[in-house]
């Protein structure tokens, strides 16, 4: 686990000041015996020439500059400690829908069983999904204004499964296969119907009453164009990638294959995601969770760092350590490389401060540095570390060779 450079600097700052005061007092006492007329001025030179700026001033300046640069890229960080925590991350866990995919699913086809017309099935589905915040629901809401009004009652949204309500006095559901199978009277027939109606290439959502399957909706939710490059860069940084999705369709396998994600699971509820993170962390992993849905919130609380993409619900955004204003996933590896760059610059400043003070303080104590020269040396040293820190205000589009 990487030691926090900021914590290290804070720890050393107090000790450094105490050391300088002790050296100044000892210098004064020594020069009282050597040349009393020079004792005060040499002690003053020791106090003036010492420069704790890298430990007390450049550290907050570096962090502020880094946060400023990230904000310019559309990355909002809740607190500065996150930048240190990012440096310890070993595993990145992604949600799929709306995170790795566009979250803008659209209906490709509606297959009905014949007992209810396609138009009415679409209208029922649109009415049910109007109560859901899941990204798939947007596909139905987009065409809701074109559908006739359908009266439904006692609507209940079940996270990770679907929506249930009453229509014409009968229970009706839209959701994944397992959720629909719970209310169909003949499970064996239902499973056969669902298997015959599904298409492995697309996301299948099912509409059923308590007695029969009414329709199957084929949805497509394309992978974000920025995802392949972003995940390739994260792998180059040595991070293990995981994908956990509530989607039961085989699209999860396709997305994992396309993006080269070795560890993935579909049809995961919020509890399943939480249990997965518990097992992962039990192995010593430090986890960044990237999500956008309500069912990601419990796992976000367990992760070491949580990140939400744009358009996530307010509750999800409120719990996240990092928020993205945009949808470009390529900024995620840039957060890692900028955190590494921050650590390097902080360490550079500390090394400079140590080297400068080891040289300047003994020279001043020996009487070789006049007070006016000590003031110039201290000012120049402060300028060096501040200018070095301000380099963090700029983020490079590709940080392969960041300094």
């Amino acid at each position: 686990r990487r030691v926090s450079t900021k914590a290290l600097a804070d720890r050393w700052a107090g000790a450094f000041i105490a050391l300088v005061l002790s050296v100044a007092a000892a210098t004064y006492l020594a020069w009282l015996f050597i040349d009393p007329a020079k004792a005060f001025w040499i002690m003053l030179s020791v106090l003036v020439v010492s420069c704790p700026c890298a430990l007390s001033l450049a550290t907050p300046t570096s962090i502020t500059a880094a946060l400023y640069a990230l904000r310019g890229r559309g990355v909002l960080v809740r607190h500065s400690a996150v930048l240190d925590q990012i440096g310890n991350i070993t595993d990145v866990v992604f949600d799929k829908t709306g995170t790795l995919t566009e979250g803008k699913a659209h209906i490709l086809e509606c297959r009905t069983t014949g007992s209810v017309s396609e138009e009415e099935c679409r209208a029922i589905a649109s009415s049910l999904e109007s109560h859901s915040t899941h990204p798939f629901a947007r596909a139905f809401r987009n065409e809701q204004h074109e559908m006739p009004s359908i009266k439904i009652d006692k609507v209940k949204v079940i996270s990770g499964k679907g929506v249930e309500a009453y229509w014409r006095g009968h229970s009706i559901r839209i959701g994944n296969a397992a959720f629909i199978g719970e209310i169909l009277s003949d499970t064996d027939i239902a499973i056969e119907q669902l298997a015959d109606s599904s298409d492995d290439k697309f996301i299948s959502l099912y509409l059923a009453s308590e007695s029969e399957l009414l329709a199957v909706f084929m949805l497509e939710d394309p992978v974000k164009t920025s995802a392949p490059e972003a995940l390739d860069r994260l792998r180059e940084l040595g991070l293990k990638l995981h994908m956990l999705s509530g989607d039961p369709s085989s699209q999860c396998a396709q997305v994992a294959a396309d993006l080269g994600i070795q560890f993935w699971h579909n049809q995961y509820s919020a509890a399943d995601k939480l249990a997965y993170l518990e097992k992962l962390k039990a192995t010593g992993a430090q986890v960044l969770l990237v999500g956008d849905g309500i069912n990601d919130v419990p796992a976000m609380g367990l992760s070491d760092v949580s990140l939400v993409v744009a358009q996530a619900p307010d509750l999800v955004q409120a719990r996240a350590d990092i928020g993205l204003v945009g949808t470009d996933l390529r900024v995620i590896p840039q957060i890692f490389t900028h955190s590494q760059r921050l650590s390097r610059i902080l360490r550079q400043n500390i090394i400079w401060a140590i080297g400068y003070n080891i040289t300047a303080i003994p020279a001043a104590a020996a009487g070789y540095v006049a007070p006016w020269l000590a003031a110039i040396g201290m000012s120049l040293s402060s300028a060096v570390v501040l200018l070095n820190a301000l380099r963090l205000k700029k983020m490079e589009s590709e940080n392969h060779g960041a300094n």
Side-chain angles (χ1 to χ4, degrees):
R1 183 181 176 89
R2 192 183 74 181
V3 177
S4 164
T5 308
K6 178 180 181 297
L8 193 63
D10 290 342
R11 190 185 311 159
W12 285 358
F16 177 80
I17 292 171
L19 177 63
V20 169
L21 292 175
S22 299
V23 171
T27 299
Y28 178 76
L29 293 174
W31 276 93
L32 283 178
F33 292 97
I34 299 170
D35 189 345
K38 296 180 179 179
F40 176 77
W41 296 109
I42 291 176
M43 180 193 70
L44 183 62
S45 293
V46 170
L47 292 173
V48 173
V49 82
S50 62
C51 185
C53 295
L55 306 177
S56 57
L57 179 60
T59 297
T61 303
S62 298
I63 292 171
T64 302
L67 293 174
Y68 175 87
L70 289 170
R71 188 169 65 248
R73 285 295 173 91
V75 180
L76 305 179
V77 180
R78 181 177 295 276
H79 49 82
S80 61
V82 171
L83 296 178
D84 266 319
Q85 292 168 334
I86 279 287
N88 298 318
I89 295 298
T90 59
D91 295 68
V92 183
V93 178
F94 288 93
D95 174 45
K96 179 181 77 71
T97 305
T99 303
L100 292 174
T101 66
E102 294 288 353
K104 298 177 181 178
H106 56 276
I107 301 171
L108 295 174
E109 185 181 354
C110 173
R111 300 175 185 175
T112 66
T113 57
S115 58
V116 178
S117 70
E118 179 179 341
E119 183 182 25
E120 196 164 23
C121 285
R122 285 178 177 268
I124 295 168
S126 295
S127 296
L128 288 167
E129 293 288 12
S130 66
H131 297 273
S132 174
T133 59
H134 194 278
F136 291 164
R138 298 171 192 162
F140 295 89
R141 288 201 294 269
N142 290 340
E143 61 175 35
Q144 189 174 13
H145 64 280
E146 302 173 2
M147 298 291 107
S149 177
I150 296 292
K151 181 175 175 57
I152 57 174
D153 302 302
K154 301 178 181 179
V155 180
K156 186 178 181 182
V157 179
I158 296 91
S159 178
K161 293 185 175 183
V163 184
E164 180 181 23
Y166 280 84
W167 173 62
R168 296 179 179 175
H170 298 283
S171 176
I172 192 163
R173 288 184 176 187
I174 186 170
N176 61 43
F179 185 53
I180 298 305
E182 293 174 4
I183 66 167
L184 293 176
S185 55
D186 192 321
T187 306
D188 293 334
I189 294 175
I191 291 172
E192 184 178 347
Q193 283 181 307
L194 295 175
D196 291 342
S197 302
S198 64
D199 189 326
D200 288 345
K201 295 180 181 179
F202 306 112
I203 301 159
S204 298
L205 290 184
Y206 305 93
L207 178 68
S209 69
E210 56 196 12
S211 59
E212 63 178 328
L213 178 69
L214 300 178
V216 180
F217 294 91
M218 300 296 179
L219 278 64
E220 183 179 37
D221 186 18
V223 171
K224 289 179 178 175
T225 56
S226 61
E229 184 179 343
L231 270 64
D232 285 345
R233 183 72 182 108
L234 289 172
R235 272 188 290 269
E236 289 175 10
L237 293 171
L239 299 164
K240 294 180 181 178
L241 306 182
H242 310 250
M243 183 181 74
L244 306 179
S245 175
D247 179 9
S249 77
S250 59
Q251 194 205 29
C252 291
Q254 188 62 49
V255 170
D258 290 345
L259 297 177
I261 300 175
Q262 182 180 359
F263 309 102
W264 66 273
H265 297 274
N266 67 338
Q267 206 166 342
Y268 257 37
S269 65
D272 292 330
K273 290 184 178 183
L274 187 62
Y276 186 89
L277 257 68
E278 287 175 344
K279 291 180 180 179
L280 189 59
K281 287 180 65 63
T283 66
Q286 297 286 311
V287 180
L288 166 67
L289 179 70
V290 183
D292 77 323
I294 297 295
N295 65 337
D296 296 318
V297 172
M300 287 170 60
L302 185 62
S303 64
D304 297 280
V305 180
S306 56
L307 183 151
V308 296
V309 297
Q311 300 178 341
D314 292 343
L315 174 62
V316 183
Q317 294 186 35
R319 293 295 301 273
D321 298 310
I322 303 173
L324 301 187
V325 175
T327 59
D328 191 341
L329 297 180
R330 290 174 297 184
V331 76
I332 296 176
Q334 292 178 4
I335 296 172
F336 280 90
T337 52
H338 206 58
S339 171
Q340 293 171 356
R341 194 166 175 235
L342 168 63
S343 180
R344 282 195 296 271
I345 286 179
L346 284 175
R347 290 179 186 276
Q348 288 169 8
N349 287 341
I350 290 174
I351 291 170
W352 166 259
I354 292 172
Y356 167 81
N357 284 290
I358 285 177
T359 303
I361 292 176
Y368 296 124
V369 181
W372 63 269
L373 188 57
I376 293 175
M378 184 272 293
S379 299
L380 289 176
S381 177
S382 300
V384 167
V385 294
L386 287 174
L387 289 173
N388 194 36
L390 289 175
R391 289 193 300 142
L392 288 163
K393 288 184 67 177
K394 290 184 179 181
M395 276 184 69
E396 300 172 7
S397 56
E398 292 292 336
N399 280 304
H400 297 275
N403 293 320

